[in-house]
Amino acid sequence: MTDTHVPARGEDEPDQLREQFRQLLRYRWLIGGGIGVGLLGGAWLGVTGADSYAASSDIVLRAPTNDPFNPAVSVDKTLNMGSERQTALSSSVAQVAAHDLGMTDRSGDLQHGLQVTNPPQTLVLHFTYTAADPAQAARRANALTVAYLELRKSQWEQVRGSMIKKYSDQLAPLVKQHEDITKQIAQLPDGGSATDSAYAVKANLLNRITELNGQISSLKALDMTPGTVIREAVPPSAPDGPGLLMALGLGGAVGIALGLLSAWVRLVFDPTPRSAGEVARAVRAPVLGILPRGGTGVLLVGGQSDSRAAEEYRSIAFRLAYDDRFADRRRLLVVAPRGGAEPAAAVAAVACNLTASFAETGKDVLLVEADLRTPSLVERLRTTTTPRPQWTLPEPTSRAHGQDGADWPGGGHLAVDAGESGMFDLVPGERVRNVPRALTSSRMTRLIAEADDPGSTVVVLAPPVLAYADALALVDRVDGVLIVCDPRAVHRSDLARVRELIGGAGGTVLGAVIHTEGGRARRGKRRGAAGGGHRAGRQAAPEPPPGPRKVHSTRRALLDDDGDIVAPRGVRAGDR
C-alpha cells in the first residue's frame, strides 16, 4: 500500500522550501518577538539619532623630508597609518584639544564622540565628531584635528632636536682635536715625517667634522609639517541618524531576519515531529489520515455523515481494508504513545469511529475496550443492552473464576447505535484487580480470535504504550497496530520507541493517524478540569459505580470530551 504523505522519491527543491517555510510558521510567536525587538531597536535608533550631529574633517599626512618633490622617497613606507590612527585617538591629542577649547578637566568626555578612520590605500585620516549641537561638533572636530597636527609636529621636532644634540656632542671633541693638531703642525718643522703624519690626522678630523656638520645641516633643513588639512569641519545641517521612518524600516527588516533565525533554530532543536512525513519516518509506516480540528469527537461517523472528519475516518477504514496485512486477520489495536486526557479522548474517538466505519461497510464489528484502568466508553457512547453475541461464549466456571482469577471480559456487553452506519457491539472495560491476568486470559484470546470468521472485525482499544504494558500484552493476538498521536504533544523518540516495542512484541504498525486539538478546545478542557464555570458543572457526567455497567436506554444522547451533548442524526424506520 502506497502512502500519499510520504513520497517514494525526494521532493523537489521548491516543495522542500515551501514545507520548511510552513514549518517555520509554527513558531509565529518567535517571529513576532523578533519583529517586535527589531522595531523597538529601530525606534530607539531613530529617536536617539535625531538629536546627534556629526562633523567631519580630513588630513593628508606627510613624513618629514628635505625634498618633498623627490620621487625616490616613498612616504607610505615611512608612515604607519594604523599607528597614526591610534595616535589621533589617544588621550594626548584629547588633552591638547581640551586645553585649546578650555576643557582642561574634561579631556575624557572629549574622546567619547571622536571617531578616526583611514580610507584604504590613502594617507588620509578622517576625523568625525558627534555631538548634540552642530556647531559644537564642528568646533571640536577642528580642535582635535589641529591638536593632532601640533602633537605630531612637536614629536618630530623633539626627535630632530635629540639627533642634532647627539651629532653636536660628537662634533665638539673633534673640533677641539682639530684645533690642537693645527697648533702642533705650526710648531713642527716643514718636510719631516712627523709633520706629514700630523697633516694626515688633521685631514681625517676635517672630513669627520664636515660629515657631522652636513648631517646637522640636513636635520635643520627638514620640513617638519606632519600633514595638511584638506577639509575643515563645518556645522552639519541635518542630524546624523537615518530618520525615524527609515530606522523603523531597518529595524523591521532586522527583526524579521532575527525572528526567522530564531524560528529556524527552534525548528532544528524541536523534538516533536514537524510534519506527517516525520511521523511516518518515526513509525516506519504510512500516515493513514490527518483529522481536522475537532475531529476527535466520539462517533462522528453515522451521526454527522456529511462532516469532513467522518469522511476522513471512512478513508482511513478503506485504506486499512485494502491493506493485505490487515485484510488477512481483521484485528486492529488502537493505541496512543503517551497518556493524558486529550490523548485518551482522541484514541477512544478514533477507535469508535473506525468501528462505525467498518460497520458501515456491512461487517460484524466488535469494539473491545481493553483499557481496564480508566474505562470510559460507556459514558461516551449511546448504547443498549442486547443478548450475548456468539463470540462471547461464557467460560466454564472453574476457568472463569478459578485459574484465571479475572472477571473480565464477562458476559456483559452492549450494542452501539451508530446512526445511518448501523450498529456495532461493544465489550466495555471494567476495573479489575489484576489487569495483566485479565488481558492475557483465555477468554480474551478467544474473544479476539473470533475475528477470523468471515465478515467479522475486532477493534481493540488499549492504554498508552509508554505508560502501561497492557497494549504489548495484546500485540501478539491482534498483530495490526494503529498509532494515534498529536504531533505537537509527542516526540519523535516516543514514536520510535513505540515502534520498537510493538515490533519486539511481534506486532506490526499498520500506520498512524494524526489529530490536532484546537486552542479553544484545549482551553475548554483545562477549564473543565479545573472545575470552573457554570457550563462545565452543569454538563459534567457523574462517575459510574464500579462493576459491570449496562445502559438500558435505547436513545441515549452522546457526550463528547467536554461534556457537550451531541445528538446523532436519527434513522427513519423506512431507511432501515
Side-chain angles (χ1 to χ4, degrees), residues 95-128:
Q95 290 175 358
V96 175
H99 181 270
D100 296 341
L101 293 172
M103 303 170 54
T104 306
D105 299 334
R106 299 173 57 189
S107 60
D109 297 340
L110 191 63
Q111 286 182 277
H112 292 164
L114 177 63
Q115 183 179 8
V116 181
T117 57
N118 169 232
Q121 306 299 325
T122 64
L123 297 176
V124 177
L125 285 182
H126 183 72
F127 286 74
T128 302

Side-chain angles (χ1 to χ4, degrees), residues 17 154 200 216 234 240 322 393 415 429 460 506 569:
L17 292 176
S154 65
I216 293 174
V234 296
D240 181 54
Y322 287 106
L393 295 176
V460 182
R569 184 172 58 187

